[in-house]
Amino acid sequence: MVFDCVVWCAKYLLCIFNFIFFVLGTIIFGVGLWLAVDKHSLIALLKLVESERIEQFTQTQVIEQLAYVLIVIGAVMFFMSFLGYLGAMRESRCLLSTYATFLILLLVAGIVAGGLAAFYKEKVRAESKNFLQTTITSYTLGENVDASSLMWNQLMSNFGCCGVTDYHDFDASQAWQNSKGNRTIPEACCVLKDVADLVPRDEDCVTNPSDSNSFYKKGCYEVFTDWLIGQRELIIIVIGVGIVHLVLIILAFSLCKAFAKYNDMRL
């Protein structure tokens, strides 16, 4: 009786976990598919940017790549959770073993990726900086502002930073050189009194930046990295996901063993 109760609890606990991941996977897959098919309506619905800037915001490979990433993540979550749920409900050792094996492979891949990122930390930092540098080379102002410029404006205005390492990074953008006029830095690098419209607190900031009226010497890479490190919630989420991952693996293999023992008892 105790054996049946423990197996029953483990079985339906696994089902509940996988049902939750199934729903989340379906939502992520749906959002990714929607973003890939019709970027305009989704961005307008979520109000990610002002309506007049949606056209420029969607004309970027970043949005398209994000859509494909969401589709892949959603599809993996959908497949894995469906496999685990079906295996538990049908008491199939084959499905549960396959499910647990996939979970172990994902866990190992995550650990290896994290280890490589830690081991090659300086190279990862250099590559990520180089990537950011390539996105800032098209930075521009005016009516023809593109999605990369909009995203940089959002990043700089919300995090209080300027460029990747400092304001000199904008010198690599020919579009910035052509559109800046007498500006030394963009408005987004200034201390702002209106973040939404990028209105500087000091009108002379864009032409005569200083430490008091701007963030022109403060690079966004270091600021964003420090912000990530300081996010305890993110660390807790990662640890929580790892624990849930291990619990699912233990439950799956435990049920495999329990179902095998139960079938032997019936013979």
Side-chain angles (χ1 to χ4, degrees):
M1 183 65 71
V2 175
F3 175 77
D4 290 340
C5 181
V6 172
V7 172
W8 184 88
C9 290
K11 172 182 174 179
Y12 285 100
L13 185 61
L14 187 63
C15 287
I16 291 171
F17 272 125
N18 280 287
F19 179 75
I20 294 172
F21 285 118
F22 178 83
V23 173
L24 290 175
T26 303
I27 293 172
I28 292 173
F29 181 82
V31 171
L33 193 62
W34 188 358
L35 196 58
V37 174
D38 187 6
K39 306 178 184 68
H40 297 76
S41 62
L42 180 60
I43 293 172
L45 178 65
L46 298 179
K47 298 180 180 180
L48 295 178
V49 296
E50 293 85 351
S51 57
E52 64 271 13
R53 295 181 176 178
I54 290 178
E55 186 64 34
Q56 292 95 341
F57 189 77
T58 54
Q59 291 177 350
T60 176
Q61 291 185 346
V62 175
I63 303 299
E64 188 173 348
Q65 291 167 357
L66 176 62
Y68 293 141
V69 168
L70 291 176
I71 289 173
V72 171
I73 292 174
V76 171
M77 289 181 65
F78 181 93
F79 171 74
M80 292 292 297
S81 57
F82 182 76
L83 193 65
Y85 184 87
L86 190 63
M89 289 300 294
R90 294 181 62 87
E91 300 183 358
S92 170
R93 286 179 289 165
C94 178
L95 289 176
L96 286 174
S97 298
T98 304
Y99 169 74
T101 302
F102 277 130
L103 284 179
I104 291 174
L105 291 175
L106 285 175
L107 183 61
V108 170
I111 293 173
V112 170
L116 289 174
F119 187 76
Y120 295 104
K121 181 172 64 175
E122 294 305 319
K123 187 173 182 180
V124 171
R125 288 171 63 91
E127 290 297 327
S128 57
K129 273 191 174 182
N130 288 337
F131 171 75
L132 290 174
Q133 292 283 4
T134 60
T135 64
I136 211 171
T137 54
S138 61
Y139 185 86
T140 186
L141 299 172
E143 297 180 356
N144 297 322
V145 60
D146 61 3
S148 295
S149 302
L150 287 173
M151 287 188 286
W152 268 109
N153 285 339
Q154 289 292 322
L155 179 64
M156 294 187 296
S157 60
N158 285 286
F159 282 90
C161 56
C162 190
V164 180
T165 55
D166 58 28
Y167 72 105
H168 290 296
D169 295 322
F170 294 103
D171 294 338
S173 172
Q174 188 60 47
W176 160 252
Q177 298 293 338
N178 295 335
S179 62
K180 71 175 184 176
N182 63 344
R183 294 178 180 85
T184 302
I185 60 172
E187 283 82 352
C189 291
C190 295
V191 177
L192 303 172
K193 65 179 179 181
D194 188 341
V195 175
D197 293 328
L198 302 179
V199 179
R201 185 177 299 171
D202 182 356
E203 294 181 358
D204 295 329
C205 170
V206 292
T207 56
N208 189 25
S210 65
D211 292 333
S212 60
N213 65 10
S214 72
F215 308 100
Y216 74 124
K217 292 182 180 179
K218 187 183 294 185
C220 289
Y221 182 84
E222 295 298 335
V223 170
F224 188 68
T225 303
D226 292 341
W227 177 83
L228 280 178
I229 294 173
Q231 295 302 300
R232 295 181 180 179
E233 297 84 358
L234 185 62
I235 298 173
I236 293 172
I237 290 173
V238 171
I239 294 174
V241 170
I243 292 173
V244 171
H245 206 127
L246 287 173
V247 168
L248 292 176
I249 293 172
I250 293 170
L251 285 175
F253 279 126
S254 298
L255 285 175
C256 284
K257 186 176 180 180
F259 292 153
K261 185 175 182 180
Y262 185 74
N263 290 334
D264 292 340
M265 291 170 59
R266 295 174 59 185
L267 295 177

PDB file of all heavy atoms in Angstrom, residues 153-162 215 218 220 223-225 227-228 231:
ATOM      1  N   ASN A 153      19.353  53.310 -27.820  1.00  0.00           N
ATOM      2  CA  ASN A 153      18.759  54.428 -27.078  1.00  0.00           C
ATOM      3  C   ASN A 153      18.055  53.928 -25.814  1.00  0.00           C
ATOM      4  O   ASN A 153      18.155  54.542 -24.748  1.00  0.00           O
ATOM      5  CB  ASN A 153      17.770  55.191 -27.958  1.00  0.00           C
ATOM      6  CG  ASN A 153      18.466  56.064 -28.988  1.00  0.00           C
ATOM      7  OD1 ASN A 153      19.639  56.409 -28.833  1.00  0.00           O
ATOM      8  ND2 ASN A 153      17.757  56.409 -30.050  1.00  0.00           N
ATOM      9  N   GLN A 154      17.326  52.824 -25.952  1.00  0.00           N
ATOM     10  CA  GLN A 154      16.634  52.252 -24.798  1.00  0.00           C
ATOM     11  C   GLN A 154      17.628  51.805 -23.737  1.00  0.00           C
ATOM     12  O   GLN A 154      17.450  52.054 -22.540  1.00  0.00           O
ATOM     13  CB  GLN A 154      15.773  51.064 -25.254  1.00  0.00           C
ATOM     14  CG  GLN A 154      14.552  51.432 -26.064  1.00  0.00           C
ATOM     15  CD  GLN A 154      13.512  52.166 -25.243  1.00  0.00           C
ATOM     16  OE1 GLN A 154      13.277  51.863 -24.084  1.00  0.00           O
ATOM     17  NE2 GLN A 154      12.875  53.162 -25.841  1.00  0.00           N
ATOM     18  N   LEU A 155      18.696  51.130 -24.191  1.00  0.00           N
ATOM     19  CA  LEU A 155      19.705  50.625 -23.258  1.00  0.00           C
ATOM     20  C   LEU A 155      20.407  51.763 -22.523  1.00  0.00           C
ATOM     21  O   LEU A 155      20.538  51.743 -21.287  1.00  0.00           O
ATOM     22  CB  LEU A 155      20.722  49.775 -24.026  1.00  0.00           C
ATOM     23  CG  LEU A 155      21.880  49.176 -23.219  1.00  0.00           C
ATOM     24  CD1 LEU A 155      21.358  48.181 -22.192  1.00  0.00           C
ATOM     25  CD2 LEU A 155      22.886  48.500 -24.146  1.00  0.00           C
ATOM     26  N   MET A 156      20.839  52.753 -23.271  1.00  0.00           N
ATOM     27  CA  MET A 156      21.606  53.852 -22.673  1.00  0.00           C
ATOM     28  C   MET A 156      20.748  54.720 -21.761  1.00  0.00           C
ATOM     29  O   MET A 156      21.200  55.132 -20.683  1.00  0.00           O
ATOM     30  CB  MET A 156      22.249  54.698 -23.784  1.00  0.00           C
ATOM     31  CG  MET A 156      23.312  53.954 -24.576  1.00  0.00           C
ATOM     32  SD  MET A 156      24.224  54.981 -25.763  1.00  0.00           S
ATOM     33  CE  MET A 156      22.927  55.454 -26.913  1.00  0.00           C
ATOM     34  N   SER A 157      19.522  54.995 -22.171  1.00  0.00           N
ATOM     35  CA  SER A 157      18.663  55.863 -21.361  1.00  0.00           C
ATOM     36  C   SER A 157      18.201  55.183 -20.083  1.00  0.00           C
ATOM     37  O   SER A 157      18.014  55.837 -19.053  1.00  0.00           O
ATOM     38  CB  SER A 157      17.450  56.317 -22.187  1.00  0.00           C
ATOM     39  OG  SER A 157      16.685  55.194 -22.618  1.00  0.00           O
ATOM     40  N   ASN A 158      18.017  53.871 -20.114  1.00  0.00           N
ATOM     41  CA  ASN A 158      17.529  53.156 -18.932  1.00  0.00           C
ATOM     42  C   ASN A 158      18.642  52.729 -17.981  1.00  0.00           C
ATOM     43  O   ASN A 158      18.406  52.607 -16.768  1.00  0.00           O
ATOM     44  CB  ASN A 158      16.725  51.918 -19.357  1.00  0.00           C
ATOM     45  CG  ASN A 158      15.346  52.268 -19.878  1.00  0.00           C
ATOM     46  OD1 ASN A 158      14.446  52.612 -19.121  1.00  0.00           O
ATOM     47  ND2 ASN A 158      15.169  52.207 -21.190  1.00  0.00           N
ATOM     48  N   PHE A 159      19.845  52.490 -18.509  1.00  0.00           N
ATOM     49  CA  PHE A 159      20.944  52.038 -17.661  1.00  0.00           C
ATOM     50  C   PHE A 159      21.942  53.146 -17.335  1.00  0.00           C
ATOM     51  O   PHE A 159      22.868  52.923 -16.559  1.00  0.00           O
ATOM     52  CB  PHE A 159      21.678  50.864 -18.323  1.00  0.00           C
ATOM     53  CG  PHE A 159      20.950  49.563 -18.198  1.00  0.00           C
ATOM     54  CD1 PHE A 159      20.040  49.171 -19.152  1.00  0.00           C
ATOM     55  CD2 PHE A 159      21.174  48.727 -17.109  1.00  0.00           C
ATOM     56  CE1 PHE A 159      19.357  47.970 -19.037  1.00  0.00           C
ATOM     57  CE2 PHE A 159      20.509  47.522 -16.982  1.00  0.00           C
ATOM     58  CZ  PHE A 159      19.588  47.153 -17.944  1.00  0.00           C
ATOM     59  N   GLY A 160      21.760  54.325 -17.924  1.00  0.00           N
ATOM     60  CA  GLY A 160      22.666  55.425 -17.623  1.00  0.00           C
ATOM     61  C   GLY A 160      24.078  55.148 -18.090  1.00  0.00           C
ATOM     62  O   GLY A 160      25.023  55.137 -17.292  1.00  0.00           O
ATOM     63  N   CYS A 161      24.249  54.911 -19.384  1.00  0.00           N
ATOM     64  CA  CYS A 161      25.564  54.593 -19.942  1.00  0.00           C
ATOM     65  C   CYS A 161      25.658  55.152 -21.351  1.00  0.00           C
ATOM     66  O   CYS A 161      24.684  55.711 -21.873  1.00  0.00           O
ATOM     67  CB  CYS A 161      25.804  53.080 -19.932  1.00  0.00           C
ATOM     68  SG  CYS A 161      24.523  52.131 -20.809  1.00  0.00           S
ATOM     69  N   CYS A 162      26.831  54.965 -21.978  1.00  0.00           N
ATOM     70  CA  CYS A 162      27.047  55.556 -23.301  1.00  0.00           C
ATOM     71  C   CYS A 162      28.000  54.677 -24.109  1.00  0.00           C
ATOM     72  O   CYS A 162      29.169  54.512 -23.729  1.00  0.00           O
ATOM     73  CB  CYS A 162      27.620  56.964 -23.142  1.00  0.00           C
ATOM     74  SG  CYS A 162      27.674  57.920 -24.678  1.00  0.00           S
ATOM     75  N   PHE A 215      26.576  60.524 -19.035  1.00  0.00           N
ATOM     76  CA  PHE A 215      27.279  59.271 -18.704  1.00  0.00           C
ATOM     77  C   PHE A 215      28.278  58.932 -19.812  1.00  0.00           C
ATOM     78  O   PHE A 215      28.507  57.765 -20.108  1.00  0.00           O
ATOM     79  CB  PHE A 215      26.268  58.136 -18.551  1.00  0.00           C
ATOM     80  CG  PHE A 215      25.143  58.433 -17.611  1.00  0.00           C
ATOM     81  CD1 PHE A 215      23.897  58.831 -18.097  1.00  0.00           C
ATOM     82  CD2 PHE A 215      25.319  58.338 -16.244  1.00  0.00           C
ATOM     83  CE1 PHE A 215      22.858  59.106 -17.231  1.00  0.00           C
ATOM     84  CE2 PHE A 215      24.282  58.614 -15.364  1.00  0.00           C
ATOM     85  CZ  PHE A 215      23.045  59.008 -15.853  1.00  0.00           C
ATOM     86  N   LYS A 218      30.957  56.338 -19.294  1.00  0.00           N
ATOM     87  CA  LYS A 218      30.524  55.083 -18.675  1.00  0.00           C
ATOM     88  C   LYS A 218      29.979  54.140 -19.750  1.00  0.00           C
ATOM     89  O   LYS A 218      28.910  54.372 -20.314  1.00  0.00           O
ATOM     90  CB  LYS A 218      29.457  55.349 -17.617  1.00  0.00           C
ATOM     91  CG  LYS A 218      29.063  54.123 -16.809  1.00  0.00           C
ATOM     92  CD  LYS A 218      27.940  54.436 -15.827  1.00  0.00           C
ATOM     93  CE  LYS A 218      28.404  55.403 -14.754  1.00  0.00           C
ATOM     94  NZ  LYS A 218      27.332  55.613 -13.736  1.00  0.00           N
ATOM     95  N   CYS A 220      28.303  50.886 -21.613  1.00  0.00           N
ATOM     96  CA  CYS A 220      27.136  50.058 -21.299  1.00  0.00           C
ATOM     97  C   CYS A 220      27.512  48.608 -21.009  1.00  0.00           C
ATOM     98  O   CYS A 220      26.791  47.919 -20.282  1.00  0.00           O
ATOM     99  CB  CYS A 220      26.147  50.101 -22.459  1.00  0.00           C
ATOM    100  SG  CYS A 220      25.307  51.691 -22.637  1.00  0.00           S
ATOM    101  N   VAL A 223      28.362  48.388 -17.303  1.00  0.00           N
ATOM    102  CA  VAL A 223      27.162  48.695 -16.514  1.00  0.00           C
ATOM    103  C   VAL A 223      26.182  47.527 -16.558  1.00  0.00           C
ATOM    104  O   VAL A 223      25.642  47.102 -15.527  1.00  0.00           O
ATOM    105  CB  VAL A 223      26.482  49.977 -17.040  1.00  0.00           C
ATOM    106  CG1 VAL A 223      25.112  50.183 -16.388  1.00  0.00           C
ATOM    107  CG2 VAL A 223      27.364  51.185 -16.781  1.00  0.00           C
ATOM    108  N   PHE A 224      25.962  46.985 -17.767  1.00  0.00           N
ATOM    109  CA  PHE A 224      25.008  45.883 -17.919  1.00  0.00           C
ATOM    110  C   PHE A 224      25.542  44.615 -17.250  1.00  0.00           C
ATOM    111  O   PHE A 224      24.776  43.862 -16.629  1.00  0.00           O
ATOM    112  CB  PHE A 224      24.745  45.631 -19.403  1.00  0.00           C
ATOM    113  CG  PHE A 224      23.638  44.641 -19.654  1.00  0.00           C
ATOM    114  CD1 PHE A 224      22.332  44.961 -19.350  1.00  0.00           C
ATOM    115  CD2 PHE A 224      23.909  43.395 -20.185  1.00  0.00           C
ATOM    116  CE1 PHE A 224      21.307  44.058 -19.574  1.00  0.00           C
ATOM    117  CE2 PHE A 224      22.893  42.480 -20.404  1.00  0.00           C
ATOM    118  CZ  PHE A 224      21.585  42.823 -20.108  1.00  0.00           C
ATOM    119  N   THR A 225      26.853  44.371 -17.348  1.00  0.00           N
ATOM    120  CA  THR A 225      27.452  43.211 -16.690  1.00  0.00           C
ATOM    121  C   THR A 225      27.308  43.298 -15.175  1.00  0.00           C
ATOM    122  O   THR A 225      26.944  42.316 -14.519  1.00  0.00           O
ATOM    123  CB  THR A 225      28.945  43.095 -17.059  1.00  0.00           C
ATOM    124  OG1 THR A 225      29.082  43.009 -18.478  1.00  0.00           O
ATOM    125  CG2 THR A 225      29.562  41.858 -16.424  1.00  0.00           C
ATOM    126  N   TRP A 227      25.059  44.944 -13.605  1.00  0.00           N
ATOM    127  CA  TRP A 227      23.628  44.790 -13.302  1.00  0.00           C
ATOM    128  C   TRP A 227      23.238  43.319 -13.263  1.00  0.00           C
ATOM    129  O   TRP A 227      22.500  42.888 -12.368  1.00  0.00           O
ATOM    130  CB  TRP A 227      22.804  45.534 -14.348  1.00  0.00           C
ATOM    131  CG  TRP A 227      21.313  45.383 -14.156  1.00  0.00           C
ATOM    132  CD1 TRP A 227      20.521  46.104 -13.312  1.00  0.00           C
ATOM    133  CD2 TRP A 227      20.457  44.451 -14.837  1.00  0.00           C
ATOM    134  NE1 TRP A 227      19.224  45.672 -13.406  1.00  0.00           N
ATOM    135  CE2 TRP A 227      19.155  44.663 -14.335  1.00  0.00           C
ATOM    136  CE3 TRP A 227      20.663  43.475 -15.800  1.00  0.00           C
ATOM    137  CZ2 TRP A 227      18.054  43.933 -14.779  1.00  0.00           C
ATOM    138  CZ3 TRP A 227      19.576  42.735 -16.244  1.00  0.00           C
ATOM    139  CH2 TRP A 227      18.295  42.968 -15.744  1.00  0.00           C
ATOM    140  N   LEU A 228      23.730  42.537 -14.234  1.00  0.00           N
ATOM    141  CA  LEU A 228      23.422  41.106 -14.263  1.00  0.00           C
ATOM    142  C   LEU A 228      23.964  40.396 -13.025  1.00  0.00           C
ATOM    143  O   LEU A 228      23.284  39.557 -12.423  1.00  0.00           O
ATOM    144  CB  LEU A 228      24.009  40.463 -15.526  1.00  0.00           C
ATOM    145  CG  LEU A 228      23.235  40.627 -16.820  1.00  0.00           C
ATOM    146  CD1 LEU A 228      23.988  39.957 -17.965  1.00  0.00           C
ATOM    147  CD2 LEU A 228      21.833  40.038 -16.703  1.00  0.00           C
ATOM    148  N   GLN A 231      21.866  40.797  -9.951  1.00  0.00           N
ATOM    149  CA  GLN A 231      20.498  40.285  -9.960  1.00  0.00           C
ATOM    150  C   GLN A 231      20.412  38.956  -9.208  1.00  0.00           C
ATOM    151  O   GLN A 231      20.604  37.880  -9.769  1.00  0.00           O
ATOM    152  CB  GLN A 231      19.999  40.120 -11.397  1.00  0.00           C
ATOM    153  CG  GLN A 231      19.877  41.409 -12.173  1.00  0.00           C
ATOM    154  CD  GLN A 231      18.955  42.402 -11.501  1.00  0.00           C
ATOM    155  OE1 GLN A 231      17.774  42.124 -11.291  1.00  0.00           O
ATOM    156  NE2 GLN A 231      19.481  43.565 -11.181  1.00  0.00           N
TER     157      GLN A 231
END
